[in-house]
Amino acid sequence: MNFTELGLGDEVLRAVGDAGYTIPTPIQVQAIPMVLMGRDILGCAQTGTGKTAGFTLPMIDILAQGRAKARMPRSLILEPTRELAAQVAENFDIYGKYHKLTKALLIGGVSMAEQIKNIDKGPDVLIATPGRLLDLCDRGRLLLTDCKILVIDEADRMLDMGFIPDVERIVGLLSKIRQTLFFSATMPPEIRRLADVFLINPKQITVAPPATPAETVIQGLVMVTHGDGRRPGGGQKEKRATLRQLIEQENVKNALLFCNRKRDVSILCRSMMRHGYNAAQLHGDMDQTSRMEVLDKFKKGEITFLVCSDVAARGLDIQNMSHVFNFDVPTHAEDYVHRIGRTGRAGREGRAFTLAVAEDAKYLAAITQLIGKRIPPVNLGGEAVAGPPAPERPRERPEAAEAG
Ligand code: AMP
């Protein structure tokens, strides 16, 4: 199947060609013609499947056929996090480069003034996180009654983050005559219920079974022991030392390092820097400007190791990321899938390693159950994990300084 067979207009096809895509991904093959036909979509797809282009490309074509009025945008994309919203906005610019569509990115943590200016210009598309959007509606800055296309992306994440009441309120502000595209990586009962309420006769599209890690990700589990290697379990210091050993064994090009707690994000980041690694951190307590700066540097390759929390890293789309390291085993099994899905994207191979201590047994069991297999154990210092070797990394780090 070729992009030209999906019914997209010439300008969008040209932009897709410029982006370097030649073959549409399965979700794009299934979703694009349906969206162009005006159907509602219930998409069960994880990030990395190309779902963003799956809804953005046909939306651009549809929106190109009309014009928005001031304060009354014609379409709305809801995203759970600011980073994800900013990323979708970037996608809109890339795929819409041959159109004159306007957008407004409405996210918290930054000044409202600029956002209000953009709303007043009459944007074709709003890309928003629920809190800021409701804030602007409540202040009378925005009317959603003209929104004829609604995208709810990463619905299961919205649920985890407690945004569902906000989402329900927002949907109540839209006209009932609209097209709704609803995406979620997993479909727990609460998400099904919402889909039943929000969608009319949707085309259901499932591109990978819920919560199946991308097949292009090679996974490994490292059990951390105390210094003498005999006692099970291990402290933070042992974990950090093990992580460094693993990193040295792996030739990392760029990696996300996940911690469960914000506090540990800072500690691990400082430790990595002390040991001469090119590291930075990303967590929910940072202001939006610093978050964007860090992300930008990471994307440009100016930062090699990004230490982060789940919320901050949700949905990040970074090209060619070679590795994901779970410094902590996630306590929600779904987060494991989301985390390792940050690598191995769009058919490229990635490597994901998890550090665990004896106390993590119940979380590992939940992950085993969710992904349908055990994470293969890795013998540190011995044979590397199965799969082709990881890419060479330019060695830039000076001698390690203090321990821990
Ligand atoms: P997403 O699942 O939307 O986060 O997309 C994952 C990655 O796949 C992004 O880096 C996209 O730029 C890329 N991508 C989307 N569609 C295609 C395609 N048809 N061919 C190659 N890469 C794609």
Side-chain angles (χ1 to χ4, degrees):
M1 175 66 87
N2 202 303
F3 268 108
T4 50
E5 296 165 64
L6 299 177
L8 292 164
D10 290 343
E11 290 92 345
V12 171
L13 288 176
R14 198 139 53 99
V16 164
D18 292 352
Y21 307 162
T22 46
I23 300 163
T25 65
I27 189 146
Q28 291 163 2
V29 169
Q30 295 180 71
I32 291 172
M34 290 293 151
V35 179
L36 289 173
M37 258 186 245
R39 282 282 296 271
D40 280 4
I41 300 281
L42 175 55
C44 188
Q46 47 191 132
T47 51
T49 54
K51 76 176 155 67
T52 316
F55 63 78
T56 316
L57 298 175
M59 273 178 83
I60 292 172
D61 255 5
I62 296 170
L63 293 170
Q65 289 152 27
R67 277 266 147 249
K69 300 179 207 122
R71 291 190 193 183
M72 292 175 83
R74 294 188 296 147
S75 65
L76 168 64
I77 301 174
L78 285 178
E79 295 289 341
T81 67
R82 301 161 185 179
E83 281 77 15
L84 206 42
Q87 217 160 263
V88 170
E90 266 174 42
N91 275 305
F92 238 90
D93 289 341
I94 295 168
Y95 307 136
K97 66 194 266 200
Y98 296 114
H99 288 93
K100 288 201 176 62
L101 297 175
T102 50
K103 64 175 192 316
L105 177 63
L106 311 180
I107 55 179
V110 289
S111 142
M112 264 193 197
E114 187 70 18
Q115 297 178 357
I116 290 172
K117 251 196 261 167
N118 286 337
I119 292 171
D120 288 346
K121 283 186 209 155
D124 296 297
V125 59
L126 290 183
I127 303 159
T129 49
R132 178 55 63 96
L133 183 79
L134 278 177
D135 208 351
L136 287 159
C137 288
D138 290 345
R139 287 166 193 241
R141 290 292 178 175
L142 189 59
L143 283 172
L144 296 179
T145 39
D146 236 22
C147 266
K148 295 290 155 50
I149 308 176
L150 168 67
V151 179
I152 300 174
D153 197 17
E154 309 260 337
D156 51 352
R157 199 60 178 187
M158 303 257 196
L159 178 69
D160 286 350
M161 295 172 75
F163 289 166
I164 294 302
D166 283 355
V167 172
E168 290 185 295
R169 243 192 90 200
I170 291 167
V171 174
L173 298 173
L174 267 72
S175 160
K176 285 203 167 34
I177 303 166
R178 57 159 202 268
Q179 182 179 11
T180 307
L181 318 177
F182 187 99
F183 295 91
S184 193
T186 55
M187 288 287 165
E190 175 66 2
I191 294 296
R192 281 251 158 231
R193 180 191 73 78
L194 285 180
D196 287 345
V197 177
F198 294 161
L199 301 167
I200 299 171
N201 185 26
K203 166 78 184 166
Q204 188 159 336
I205 299 172
T206 303
V207 288
T212 302
E215 280 170 12
T216 47
V217 182
I218 291 164
Q219 303 170 57
L221 176 71
V222 182
M223 291 307 295
V224 180
T225 54
H226 277 290
D228 60 9
R230 267 173 278 154
R231 278 176 299 149
Q236 295 293 308
K237 202 169 161 182
E238 276 95 353
K239 282 175 91 177
R240 289 196 292 270
T242 308
L243 176 66
R244 291 194 298 274
Q245 205 185 336
L246 186 57
I247 285 171
E248 287 310 302
Q249 188 170 310
E250 272 294 308
N251 282 324
V252 179
K253 179 173 158 276
N254 54 356
L256 291 180
L257 312 183
F258 281 97
C259 295
N260 287 356
R261 284 169 303 196
K262 277 181 246 177
R263 192 175 51 115
D264 294 334
V265 169
S266 300
I267 297 173
L268 179 60
C269 182
R270 278 202 304 275
S271 163
M272 291 291 289
M273 283 163 35
R274 259 205 319 274
H275 281 271
Y277 292 95
N278 176 7
Q281 58 177 322
L282 188 73
H283 59 70
D285 283 352
M286 288 161 64
D287 67 61
Q288 189 60 17
T289 317
S290 341
R291 285 207 218 179
M292 291 299 184
E293 266 172 27
V294 168
L295 259 182
D296 196 46
K297 282 190 178 164
F298 188 61
K299 282 186 179 176
K300 285 187 188 147
E302 292 166 20
I303 292 169
T304 311
F305 296 93
L306 187 59
V307 190
C308 57
S309 59
D310 287 292
V311 168
R314 171 70 180 181
L316 294 185
D317 174 26
I318 295 148
Q319 302 285 339
N320 295 325
M321 197 158 56
S322 72
H323 284 73
V324 166
F325 295 95
N326 291 318
F327 183 74
D328 297 309
V329 179
T331 51
H332 296 290
E334 287 83 9
D335 283 336
Y336 177 76
V337 178
H338 292 309
R339 287 181 184 185
I340 74 165
R342 313 292 93 229
T343 182
R345 307 190 66 140
R348 292 196 188 93
E349 186 203 286
R351 296 162 83 82
F353 294 91
T354 302
L355 301 187
V357 294
E359 292 77 12
D360 291 321
K362 70 170 179 212
Y363 303 128
L364 289 173
I367 292 170
T368 303
Q369 195 179 11
L370 182 72
I371 66 173
K373 63 169 191 180
R374 278 176 189 277
I375 310 172
V378 177
N379 183 9
L380 256 195
E383 274 295 291
V385 192
E392 275 294 323
R393 168 174 70 103
R395 292 189 65 87
E396 66 221 350
R397 80 184 197 87
E399 276 309 292
E402 357 155 7

